[in-house]
């Protein structure tokens, strides 16, 4: 069962997405800010990270840059999630090291497709 680290500070978003992912058979670990995400990425070794970009402590862009700079976590695929899909946010997220980008509210079939594509390529490498 693939393990996902969900990094989300909004309780309603966190609850809705975590229940849906668990129901689909994913293992789930949750962080509520960027600092906690960095610690949990090392301690929990998830197969994939869903990273909200607007986070307290350390935002998702900076947390992703630090994850990708760390040899222990740089291989973990990161999908950026944001409700503030402004022009250029996708490019900014990819430049920070995110492997993909999705908008909120989450369309679960689209997100699952992205998760499966990244998990498949991560398992092959």
């Amino acid at each position: 069962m693939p393990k996902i680290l969900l990094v989300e500070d909004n309780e309603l978003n966190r609850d809705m997405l975590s229940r849906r992912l668990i129901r689909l058979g994913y293992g789930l670990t949750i962080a509520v800010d960027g600092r906690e995400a960095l610690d949990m990425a090392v301690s929990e070794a998830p197969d994939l990270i869903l990273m909200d970009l607007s986070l307290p402590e350390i935002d998702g862009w900076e947390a992703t840059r630090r994850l990708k700079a760390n040899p222990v976590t740089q291989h973990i695929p990161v999908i950026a999630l944001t409700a503030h899909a402004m022009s250029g946010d996708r490019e900014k997220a990819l430049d920070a090291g995110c492997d993909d980008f999705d908008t909120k509210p989450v369309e679960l079939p689209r997100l699952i497709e992205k998760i499966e594509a990244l998990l498949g390529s991560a398992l092959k490498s």
Side-chain angles (χ1 to χ4, degrees), residues 9-69:
D9 64 321
N10 180 288
E11 186 176 356
L12 291 174
N13 290 342
R14 195 170 55 238
D15 182 57
M16 179 276 305
L17 193 51
S18 64
R19 282 187 289 115
R20 294 168 89 183
L21 290 169
I22 290 168
R23 196 171 23 235
L24 289 171
Y26 293 99
L28 204 65
T29 305
I30 296 173
V32 297
D33 63 50
R35 187 173 313 286
E36 190 177 28
L38 293 171
D39 293 341
M40 293 182 85
V42 172
S43 66
E44 298 294 324
D47 298 302
L48 183 133
I49 299 172
L50 296 175
M51 179 74 74
D52 183 19
L53 294 177
S54 300
L55 294 167
E57 300 289 327
I58 299 170
D59 68 33
W61 287 287
E62 180 59 26
T64 299
R65 279 191 282 276
R66 293 184 191 186
L67 287 168
K68 294 302 184 172

Side-chain angles (χ1 to χ4, degrees), residues 65-80:
R65 279 191 282 276
R66 293 184 191 186
L67 287 168
K68 294 302 184 172
N70 182 342
V72 174
T73 57
Q74 67 186 7
H75 69 283
I76 303 171
V78 177
I79 298 176

